[in-house]
């Protein structure tokens, strides 16, 4: 298979579903790896002979890789989400009202005013109580069986919090026993609502509500031990535009206004007070890496003593929002020449006075991850998907303290989001552990699950899948499942 044809498999519909399939393992798995990696992403791009417009609009599918400590075996299940959107598309041959696949004027009015957004939950997964919940960028959630991945129906939180946009990147904080999330509500005025969800609960608790004159497209945010940091880049909307003819989709209603700059709004997680608002140069961001509190100018930022003078926020930055247009499927063949590459960029945000400063730590990456125990803390290692070239891409490991970096790559393999699982006896900020990453094998026309060594990035094991999986978005490793 040619490299170009292999790469195109990343945007080809996958209909095949398997249940609890044993995958042959080449190599040896860590004997302590005992849990499940669950990934989410689009898998159906054609409906009724028509192709969706944007990568973000493919119909969702979940993938589960389960490990049994001490056994060199991986069991694999994949299943399309049986959402209302999926059933309607299957019955009518049409899909509309998505991120960039428009539904027309009346469809947008109905979605906004009558609270009927898509339930095509293709972005992320989270654990809420004992439920595996699939999420997207509107407040519709699907409950799934954590083992079989069967869609069990709509998931409802036991609270009254509402919004029109849901930040699918909720941030679990194992140190405080809660998950923090964000909702955006359009209106007069529009508002962002930060909330916490205590572990084991289905009831979200409001932390703060912030006014937003022209809300930004917020895909993720940062969290430290004491603060939530809303990165409000200048890709913004006037909510009234959603009710006017002339645009075909959700994303068409957002505009890049660089003169606004990027604003960081720092919120105390306990009181809900806004303790600082700082503006810097315009940057666009999908994903945050990690954040923590530090003494000003402290390069080690170990957080062991002294008062907090500034926040360190690491994220993947772009010079503008052109990356959104670059992810239209019609532009996929030009990604290698014209696609934008993100940079891991460190921002230092003073709490009292002074200006925001930033520096680039790595060029050409996306979909960053850190160890679960490193969230909200000073940390050392970030893992990410490297930028694509025609013959593949790479897994990047960046030492954010020293600037050193490692990479794993193999011609013909296009890796996805790498998930680092720290060994159970390793202490922070050790890189002892393994990196779980799926990779489209363009040479063989399939997807492989890779298990890399966390310290060296050497390949420890590989498990070929029975099919090629389209390029997905995000996943989590659940040691309890």
């Amino acid at each position: 298979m040619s490299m170009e044809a292999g790469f195109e498999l990343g945007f080809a519909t996958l209909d095949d579903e398997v249940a609890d399939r044993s995958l042959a393992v080449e190599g040896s798995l860590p004997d302590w790896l005992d849990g499940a990696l669950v990934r989410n992403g689009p898998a159906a791009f054609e409906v009724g002979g028509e192709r969706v417009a944007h990568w973000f609009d493919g119909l969702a599918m979940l993938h589960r890789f389960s490990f049994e400590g001490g056994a060199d075996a991986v069991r694999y299940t994949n299943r399309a989400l049986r959402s209302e959107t999926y059933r309607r598309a299957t019955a009518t041959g049409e899909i509309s009202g998505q991120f960039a696949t428009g539904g027309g004027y009346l469809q947008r009015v109905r979605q906004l005013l009558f609270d009927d957004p898509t339930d095509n939950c293709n972005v992320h997964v989270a654990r809420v109580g004992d439920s595996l919940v699939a999420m997207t960028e509107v407040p519709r959630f699907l409950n799934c069986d954590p083992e079989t991945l069967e869609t069990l129906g709509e998931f409802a939180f036991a609270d009254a919090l509402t919004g029109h946009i849901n930040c699918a990147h909720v941030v679990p904080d194992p140190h405080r026993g809660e998950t923090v999330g964000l909702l955006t509500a359009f209106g007069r005025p529009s508002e962002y609502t930060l909330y916490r969800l205590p572990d084991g609960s289905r009831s979200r608790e409001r932390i703060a509500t912030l006014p937003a004159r022209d809300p930004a497209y917020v895909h993720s945010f940062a969290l430290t031990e004491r603060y939530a940091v809303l990165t409000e880049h200048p890709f913004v909307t006037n909510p009234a535009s959603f009710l006017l003819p002339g645009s075909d989709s959700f994303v068409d209603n957002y505009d890049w206004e660089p003169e606004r700059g990027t604003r960081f709004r720092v919120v105390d997680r306990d009181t809900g007070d806004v303790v600082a608002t700082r503006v810097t140069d315009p940057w666009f961001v999908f994903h945050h890496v990690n954040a923590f509190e530090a003494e000003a100018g402290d390069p080690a930022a170990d957080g062991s003593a002294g008062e907090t003078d500034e926040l360190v926020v690491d994220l993947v930055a772009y010079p503008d929002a052109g990356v959104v247009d670059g992810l239209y499927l019609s532009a996929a063949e030009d990604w290698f020449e014209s696609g934008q590459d993100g940079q891991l960029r460190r921002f230092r945000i003073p709490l009292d006075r002074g200006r925001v400063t930033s520096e680039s730590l790595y060029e050409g990456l996306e979909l960053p991850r850190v160890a679960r125990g490193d969230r909200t803390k000073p940390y050392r290692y970030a893992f990410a998907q490297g930028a694509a070239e025609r013959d593949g891409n790479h897994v990047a490991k960046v030492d954010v303290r020293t600037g050193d970096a490692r990479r794993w790559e193999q011609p013909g393999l296009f890796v996805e989001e790498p998930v680092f699982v720290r060994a159970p006896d390793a202490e922070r900020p050790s890189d002892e552990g393994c990196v779980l990453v799926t990779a489209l094998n363009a040479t063989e026309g399939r997807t492989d699950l890779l298990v890399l060594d966390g310290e060296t990035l050497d390949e420890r094991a590989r498990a070929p899948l029975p099919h090629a999986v389209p390029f997905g978005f995000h996943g989590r490793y659940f040691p309890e499942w």
Side-chain angles (χ1 to χ4, degrees):
M1 179 177 293
S2 70
M3 195 64 62
E4 288 77 9
F7 177 77
E8 290 174 359
L9 285 175
F11 304 100
T13 292
L14 173 62
D15 294 318
D16 184 35
E17 295 178 325
V18 300
D20 200 30
R21 176 79 59 88
S22 179
L23 303 181
V25 174
E26 305 164 5
S28 181
L29 298 170
D31 58 12
W32 49 263
L33 190 63
D34 189 11
L37 170 69
V38 181
R39 286 186 46 77
N40 196 353
F45 299 97
E46 291 83 21
V47 177
E50 297 294 325
R51 192 162 169 83
V52 298
H54 199 277
W55 182 27
F56 291 3
D57 290 348
L59 295 175
M61 177 176 281
L62 297 182
H63 305 263
R64 183 180 191 267
F65 304 88
S66 63
F67 309 90
E68 298 179 4
D72 282 328
V74 178
R75 305 200 71 84
Y76 170 65
T77 297
N78 71 302
R79 189 172 176 87
L81 279 178
R82 268 56 171 188
S83 61
E84 290 180 7
T85 304
Y86 174 94
R87 293 194 296 269
R88 186 164 53 244
T90 302
T92 66
E94 296 180 356
I95 183 171
S96 61
Q98 305 300 299
F99 180 82
T101 302
Y105 170 64
L106 292 178
Q107 173 81 4
R108 294 197 310 277
V109 172
R110 183 169 63 89
Q111 287 183 341
L112 283 174
L113 297 186
F114 298 99
D115 197 24
D116 185 28
T118 179
D119 64 344
N120 181 30
C121 298
N122 66 2
V123 177
H124 218 323
V125 291
R127 178 171 182 170
V128 181
D130 293 326
S131 298
L132 174 67
V133 178
M135 297 183 169
T136 186
E137 296 195 303
V138 293
R140 295 285 301 276
F141 311 95
L142 290 179
N143 189 5
C144 305
D145 186 291
E147 293 191 7
T148 68
L149 303 183
E150 178 185 359
T151 307
L152 302 177
E154 191 102 5
F155 179 89
F157 288 96
D159 59 63
L161 294 183
T162 61
H164 296 103
I165 304 298
N166 170 64
C167 181
H169 282 271
V170 295
V171 185
D173 181 354
H175 310 290
R176 292 182 55 159
E178 65 184 27
T179 293
V180 178
L182 178 74
L183 295 164
T184 302
F186 297 140
R188 296 184 178 179
S190 297
E191 297 175 331
Y192 304 114
T193 295
L194 281 161
Y195 65 84
R196 67 170 57 86
L197 178 68
D199 289 354
S201 174
R202 294 169 62 107
S203 181
R204 298 166 295 183
E205 303 169 359
R206 186 189 308 270
I207 296 173
T209 296
L210 310 179
R213 179 179 176 184
D214 295 315
Y217 167 61
V218 181
H219 188 75
S220 68
F221 61 95
L223 202 66
T224 75
E225 290 185 74
R226 287 182 282 181
Y227 304 106
V229 184
L230 175 61
T231 305
E232 207 173 8
H233 54 206
F235 191 47
V236 298
T237 185
N238 179 341
S241 67
F242 284 89
L243 304 181
L244 298 175
S247 61
D248 293 326
S249 66
F250 170 82
V251 73
D252 285 341
N253 295 280
Y254 283 81
D255 297 305
W256 179 250
E257 300 182 4
E259 66 278 5
R260 294 172 176 262
T262 290
R263 181 167 63 166
F264 295 101
R265 300 169 77 172
V266 181
V267 179
D268 187 300
R269 291 172 61 179
D270 292 322
T271 67
D273 295 335
V274 177
V275 300
T277 300
R278 301 286 181 266
V279 179
T280 189
D281 297 334
W283 299 95
F284 178 82
V285 55
F286 277 125
H287 300 116
H288 291 72
V289 184
N290 199 20
F292 56 90
E293 297 152 26
E295 296 179 63
D298 176 12
D302 62 9
S304 59
E307 295 294 326
T308 299
D309 295 306
E310 65 180 15
L311 305 184
V312 177
V313 176
D314 293 346
L315 52 80
V316 179
Y318 296 86
D320 55 49
V323 62
V324 177
D325 288 339
L327 298 178
Y328 277 89
L329 295 183
S330 60
E333 62 186 23
D334 298 324
W335 282 4
F336 300 113
E337 284 77 23
S338 60
Q340 288 185 315
D341 293 335
Q343 56 178 275
L344 197 169
R345 196 163 190 89
R346 168 160 290 185
F347 290 83
R348 291 184 176 272
I349 304 169
L351 293 183
D352 292 332
R353 56 185 177 274
R355 64 185 185 88
V356 176
T357 61
S358 71
E359 61 177 323
S360 177
L361 302 181
Y362 193 92
E363 299 282 341
L365 53 66
E366 248 299 355
L367 303 179
R369 297 296 294 265
V370 300
R372 180 176 184 271
D374 287 350
R375 295 181 190 136
T376 77
K377 302 283 189 178
Y379 74 113
R380 186 163 183 176
Y381 301 106
F383 298 83
Q385 175 197 69
E389 300 178 3
R390 287 200 173 273
D391 62 347
N393 64 353
H394 65 276
V395 176
K397 174 190 174 184
V398 183
D399 186 330
V400 298
R401 291 190 185 175
T402 67
D404 295 337
R406 289 179 179 266
R407 56 194 287 166
W408 182 95
E409 57 193 325
Q410 178 181 312
L413 261 65
F414 293 89
V415 301
E416 300 185 281
E417 173 191 63
V419 176
F420 174 61
V421 183
R422 181 169 285 140
D425 295 332
E427 296 182 358
R428 284 194 340 101
S430 170
D431 53 358
E432 181 183 352
C434 67
V435 182
L436 306 177
V437 56
T438 48
L440 179 66
N441 190 326
T443 304
E444 300 295 333
R446 67 173 190 237
T447 291
D448 295 337
L449 172 70
L450 306 175
V451 182
L452 309 180
D453 185 271
E455 296 176 279
T456 65
L457 287 192
D458 293 338
E459 184 176 330
R460 298 187 57 163
R462 178 182 302 218
L465 273 62
H467 46 229
V469 176
F471 294 131
F473 296 137
H474 304 289
R476 296 192 192 277
Y477 177 76
F478 299 98
E480 65 274 26
W481 284 336

